[in-house]
Amino acid sequence: MPTSNDTPHVLDRREGPHGEVVLRRHGDRLEIIANGCFLMDTSDGRSERRLVDAALDALTGRDHPDVLIGGLGVGFSLAHAAANPRWGGITVVERERAIVEWHLDGPLSAFSAEALADPRTEIVEADLVAYVNETSATYDALCLDIDNGPGWTVTEGNENLYGKAGLASCARVLRPGGVLAVWSAQPSPEFEETLWNAGFQQVRTEEIPVARGVPDVVHLGISPG
């Protein structure tokens, strides 16, 4: 018989423009579910933190580089970036109002309150795919964590981001020599090839071990130009 710790408890459920998003408590962790698809939880965060660090490590000779983080999630990437004084501006694009509110005055504020109060932080409520197509802002690094990976997207529209045209939009918001870092729940040699074909340089993949199963990865590339 399952115990109370084995049974997820829904804390909030919202219907938004992109479908249903749910915040639930499962034992001692919080989980975000989108359209029935598990996105992330608060149990670890090593790979989300490495996403930010790998991008910064790839930037050489830049004082206080600006980073654009695609996806607020449970706040691991934002909090880790804000904890590092080397970063300059920290912009987070999140399309789900519910997730933003869970951080501003809900259960996820425990993971992000200090980062949100940091004067370097800006939260933009927008669809990341549209944002990289339309914004006039540019950044030194773009850290993407809006899906479970290039081959496992949350919504169909996100698929375009990982093709040649979408990567051209990512390159457009990156300053010359800027870094694109993409989180994925599994390696994707096909995506590596697409990065090369889109003109990115020094393409590589870092593996981050997880408790069980296939390791998480961060795909990295340096923007052309």
Side-chain angles (χ1 to χ4, degrees), residues 2-148:
T3 66
S4 58
N5 283 339
D6 296 325
T7 305
H9 172 64
V10 173
L11 301 177
D12 195 8
R13 186 190 305 272
R14 309 272 187 97
E15 193 69 31
H18 304 284
E20 182 188 71
V21 287
V22 175
L23 178 67
R24 67 187 190 187
R25 187 178 299 280
H26 194 170
D28 59 357
R29 65 184 183 270
L30 298 171
E31 302 174 335
I32 296 177
I33 313 295
N35 294 318
C37 178
F38 174 87
L39 285 186
M40 58 187 64
D41 63 28
T42 57
S43 63
D44 192 344
R46 278 178 294 174
S47 58
E48 289 89 346
R49 296 182 185 102
R50 184 57 198 158
L51 174 71
V52 173
D53 285 343
L56 186 58
D57 290 346
L59 289 168
T60 57
R62 303 195 187 200
D63 294 329
H64 304 299
D66 297 323
V67 60
L68 172 62
I69 299 174
L72 179 55
V74 297
F76 283 143
S77 296
L78 166 61
H80 196 61
N84 192 330
R86 286 183 59 195
W87 285 113
I90 303 168
T91 302
V92 182
V93 173
E94 174 55 59
R95 72 182 187 180
E96 297 290 351
R97 178 61 189 172
I99 293 178
V100 174
E101 291 182 356
W102 294 335
H103 280 277
L104 291 175
D105 54 13
L108 291 174
S109 63
F111 300 90
S112 60
E114 188 173 347
L116 289 172
D118 193 303
R120 296 172 297 166
T121 298
E122 178 186 11
I123 303 296
V124 176
E125 290 184 46
D127 184 281
L128 191 280
V129 178
Y131 185 82
V132 296
N133 282 320
E134 299 167 3
T135 186
S136 60
T138 58
Y139 305 88
D140 297 289
L142 170 53
C143 297
L144 293 184
D145 186 8
I146 63 171
D147 294 297
N148 285 319

Side-chain angles (χ1 to χ4, degrees), residues 182-196:
V182 180
W183 185 93
S184 179
Q186 58 188 12
S188 175
E190 296 81 8
F191 182 61
E192 279 195 14
E193 183 176 354
T194 305
L195 283 168
W196 283 116

